Amino acid sequence: MNASAPAAPPALPQVPRLRAFRNSLALADNPIPIITQYLDELGDTIGLHMGGIKPTLLTRDPGLIQHILQKNHRNYPKSEMSHGVARYLGHGLLTSEGSYWLQQRRLIQPGFHRQRIAALTETMLQVIDECLEPVAALARQQGGATTVAVHELMTATAFRIIARSVFSTSMSEAELQQLAHLLTDIQAFYTRTLRQPYLKPWLAVKGQFRYHDQLAAQMRQLVLKYIRQRQQEGGAGKDDLLQMLLDARYEDTNEPMTEEQVLDEAIILLVAGHETSANALSWLWYLLAQHPEVVAKLRAEMAAALGERRPTFQDLPQLPYALQVIQETMRLYPPAWIVDRQALEDDEYNGLKLPKGTLISAYIYGVHHLPRLWPEPEAFRPERFGKEQLREQPAYAYLPFGGGPRLCIGNQFALTEMQLVLLETLRRFEVEWEAQPAPGLRPLITLRPRAEITLQFRLRA
Ligand code: HEM
C-alpha cells in the first residue's frame, strides 16, 4: 500500500435491504431488539432502510449525536418524519424550524425558568393528591392495600399535571379524558404511517388520513375554546402556562402571539409534556418495586430531609438520591428513545460522509445501553448518577432530554414533577411487586410499557 495515499473514508456498514424488508413487520411492532442487533453486528453507526423503504443512518455514537444535535446543529433540522406530525399537532416548538422556531423558543423559554416551575409545584402537588387519594380510599376499603394499574395511573397523573399547569382548573374531567384519547389515537396512527410507509395507499383508501385529520380538528377546537374563554375572562390571578403564552411579547415588536400561535404552542406543551413523564414514572415504579434496597435508601434520605411532611420545591436539592433514581430510570427507559434529523448540506463526521438529505436517527436508547459507557447496562443502579461517577462520562453518554439548542424546554418541569410524584407516593404507600411477566417495550414516539404494570400499593402506617 502507498503510505502517502489518503486513508479511505470509513464506509457505512449497511443492513442488507432484503433483511430490513423481511424484518419490517417485526420492526413496526418493536424496533428496539432488531436495531440493537444490527448495531451489535455491524457497528455503532449503520445504514438501513426503515420499513424496507426509507434509507436512514442510525447511530448510537455519542460523538456523532453531539455533532448533529449541537456542534453542527445548523445543518441538521428535524427530519420530515418529525415535521410530518405538524399536520395533526400544528407548528409549535416541537415541530417548527429555523428562525421561526428560534423566535418562539426565545419567547417561551422564560416561562420555564426556575421561579416559574417553583410557582407550579403547588398545582403539581394538588394534582398528585387528587390522583393518589382514590387509590388510598380503595386500599382502606380492601384492608390496607390495593392493586394498581401503574401505567394507567401515571398517565392520568402526568396528563392532569400538564393540563392543569397549562389551563389551571378550567377543563372538566370529561374533556380532559377526551383530549387524552384524541392525542393517543393521533400518535398511534402517525407512528404507524412512519413504520409501515407501504400501508399509506391502503390507509388513504380506508379514509384513515381524513379521519385522523378530523380528530386533530376536534382537539384544536377543544383547546381553542379554553384559550378564548381565558381571553374573555382576562388573566387576573392566573400564573399557568397558558397565561404565560398569552402574556409573552416579542422583543422587537412588543406584540403578543396570534391566537393560532398560542393554540399551536399550547397543544405542543400538552403533547410533549405528558406521555414522556408518564412513561418514565411507570418504569420508575416497575424498577422500584423490584429493588427494595433502593427504596430503603430513598426513605432514609426522605426521613432526613423531610421527616413525614410533604416536599416543597426548595426541599428538592436536599434529595439528590431521589433525582438519581429518576435519572437511572430514564437511562434504562429513555421516554424519547430516538430522535431524527436530516442533513441540509453535505457534511462529514470523522471521515464519514453525510450527504445532503441524509436522514439520521440518534438512537438514545442504544447510547444509554452501551456497555463501554454503562458497565452492566441492564442493571438498575442509581449510584451511577452520583457526582463522582458522572464526572467520568463523556458528553452525550446520557441524553434523555436531547441536546444542543433543541434540548427539551420542559426538562426542569419534568424532573420536578417526577420527583414530587415519587416522594408523595412513597410518603403514603409501600409499593410492592406482584408476580408478572416483564411488560415488554412498546416504542411509539415515546417508550411505553407494552403490557400494563400491576403493583400493590399498601398504605403506610
Ligand atoms: C421525562 C419527561 C420528558 C422527556 C424525556 C423529554 C424529552 C425531550 C426530548 C428528547 C426533546 C428533544 C427532541 C429532539 O431533539 O428532537 C424534547 C423537546 C421538547 N420537550 Fe420534552 N421531554 C420531557 C418532558 C417535557 C415536558 C414536561 C414538557 C413541557 C412542559 C416538554 C416540552 C418539550 C418541548 C416544547 C420540546 C421542543 C423544544 C424545542 O424544540 O425547542 N417536555 N423533549
Side-chain angles (χ1 to χ4, degrees):
M1 201 173 117
N2 180 349
S4 63
L12 184 65
Q14 288 285 340
V15 177
R17 200 156 169 186
L18 190 63
R19 186 173 172 201
F21 190 72
R22 268 206 314 266
N23 278 338
S24 63
L25 266 187
L27 192 115
D29 186 48
N30 177 8
I32 287 181
I34 298 172
I35 58 187
T36 300
Q37 191 185 351
Y38 291 154
L39 291 160
D40 286 348
E41 281 174 29
L42 299 169
D44 286 345
T45 302
I46 61 172
L48 93 156
H49 286 78
M50 279 286 186
I53 294 182
K54 267 214 179 323
T56 305
L57 184 149
L58 179 79
T59 185
R60 62 180 176 189
D61 171 354
L64 176 52
I65 294 177
Q66 184 177 24
H67 179 83
I68 62 164
L69 294 187
Q70 184 191 12
K71 291 191 173 164
N72 198 17
H73 68 89
R74 283 199 178 78
N75 194 44
Y76 295 96
K78 294 193 176 184
S79 75
E80 57 208 31
M81 290 198 266
S82 301
H83 291 148
V85 78
R87 167 175 178 164
Y88 306 105
L89 303 182
H91 295 273
L93 269 188
L94 194 68
T95 48
S96 58
E97 213 53 75
S99 55
Y100 181 72
W101 164 78
L102 185 60
Q103 162 198 303
Q104 293 302 95
R105 177 92 189 202
R106 287 199 178 128
L107 186 70
I108 296 171
Q109 187 80 55
F112 286 88
H113 280 169
R114 246 184 90 77
Q115 311 88 289
R116 298 290 306 213
I117 310 271
L120 286 172
T121 49
E122 194 43 45
T123 302
M124 293 182 186
L125 284 166
Q126 264 172 27
V127 175
I128 295 168
D129 240 11
E130 288 164 19
C131 291
L132 290 180
E133 188 38 45
V135 179
L138 264 182
R140 277 193 291 273
Q141 272 170 27
Q142 294 171 9
T146 188
T147 300
V148 171
V150 168
H151 187 238
E152 192 184 312
L153 179 65
M154 291 300 117
T155 302
T157 307
F159 189 68
R160 272 161 188 70
I161 289 179
I162 186 67
R164 290 265 287 277
S165 301
V166 177
F167 297 111
S168 298
T169 48
S170 355
M171 216 175 251
S172 73
E173 187 62 23
E175 279 171 328
L176 274 176
Q177 281 190 14
Q178 189 191 357
L179 194 56
H181 284 140
L182 288 169
L183 284 172
T184 308
D185 284 357
I186 291 169
Q187 197 204 123
F189 176 70
Y190 185 63
T191 319
R192 194 160 177 221
T193 62
L194 289 184
R195 299 263 174 82
Q196 294 171 288
Y198 45 82
L199 291 182
K200 281 184 182 175
W202 181 76
L203 291 169
V205 171
K206 300 287 276 181
Q208 285 292 304
F209 286 98
R210 209 170 341 113
Y211 172 69
H212 287 91
D213 285 341
Q214 282 162 4
L215 293 189
Q218 234 175 301
M219 176 176 72
R220 290 179 82 77
Q221 227 23 64
L222 188 62
V223 175
L224 188 60
K225 186 172 105 185
Y226 287 102
I227 295 176
R228 294 207 169 137
Q229 199 176 318
R230 178 68 61 84
Q231 277 169 324
Q232 275 164 14
E233 289 165 5
K238 299 279 190 219
D239 65 354
D240 53 24
L241 294 172
L242 175 59
Q243 204 52 48
M244 175 276 285
L245 294 174
L246 290 168
D247 290 344
R249 295 291 178 270
Y250 292 112
E251 235 173 51
D252 46 352
T253 60
N254 204 32
E255 289 291 316
M257 281 189 260
T258 64
E259 185 178 80
E260 194 71 6
Q261 287 174 308
V262 173
L263 176 60
D264 278 346
E265 299 299 354
I267 288 178
I268 285 297
L269 292 181
L270 289 172
V271 170
H274 91 282
E275 224 191 89
T276 38
S277 308
N279 291 336
L281 285 165
S282 307
W283 293 115
L284 174 79
W285 294 117
Y286 172 68
L287 291 164
L288 285 182
Q290 295 173 82
H291 289 273
E293 75 291 356
V294 174
V295 176
K297 242 175 124 168
L298 274 169
R299 289 207 185 280
E301 181 177 86
M302 286 169 71
L306 304 173
E308 279 300 317
R309 71 179 166 82
R310 82 207 287 237
T312 63
F313 185 74
Q314 286 67 30
D315 289 319
L316 298 182
Q318 274 63 259
L319 295 147
Y321 192 66
L323 180 61
Q324 285 174 235
V325 168
I326 290 163
Q327 288 169 316
E328 174 68 344
T329 301
M330 290 198 294
R331 180 189 67 78
L332 278 165
Y333 299 100
W337 61 283
I338 198 161
V339 296
D340 297 298
R341 296 293 189 267
Q342 188 155 21
L344 272 184
E345 299 296 337
D346 289 351
D347 188 24
E348 220 181 274
Y349 170 75
N350 281 353
L352 176 70
K353 295 250 180 289
L354 301 165
K356 175 177 174 168
T358 306
L359 267 179
I360 306 184
S361 290
Y363 184 36
I364 296 178
Y365 182 96
V367 178
H368 288 187
H369 288 251
L370 269 176
R372 72 179 143 80
L373 298 174
W374 305 102
E376 294 184 61
E378 300 313 319
F380 176 58
R381 285 191 200 134
E383 289 67 24
R384 297 181 204 263
F385 288 87
K387 270 198 191 115
E388 291 306 312
Q389 290 89 325
L390 265 193
R391 230 169 262 148
E392 288 158 24
Q393 286 296 2
Y396 285 72
Y398 182 68
L399 65 159
F401 294 111
R406 300 206 68 156
L407 181 82
C408 175
I409 202 170
N411 65 356
Q412 278 312 321
F413 180 107
L415 290 172
T416 303
E417 127 185 69
M418 291 190 289
Q419 266 178 289
L420 294 177
V421 172
L422 169 62
L423 297 166
E424 280 297 85
T425 309
L426 283 185
R427 198 160 69 84
R428 292 171 170 78
F429 300 101
E430 301 288 348
V431 176
E432 296 168 359
W433 181 244
E434 270 196 3
Q436 62 199 294
L441 302 174
R442 185 163 186 234
L444 294 175
I445 296 173
T446 65
L447 186 58
R448 297 185 191 178
R450 179 167 292 267
E452 185 50 278
I453 298 165
T454 48
L455 300 173
Q456 281 285 311
F457 277 41
R458 181 174 303 283
L459 285 170
R460 292 182 68 222

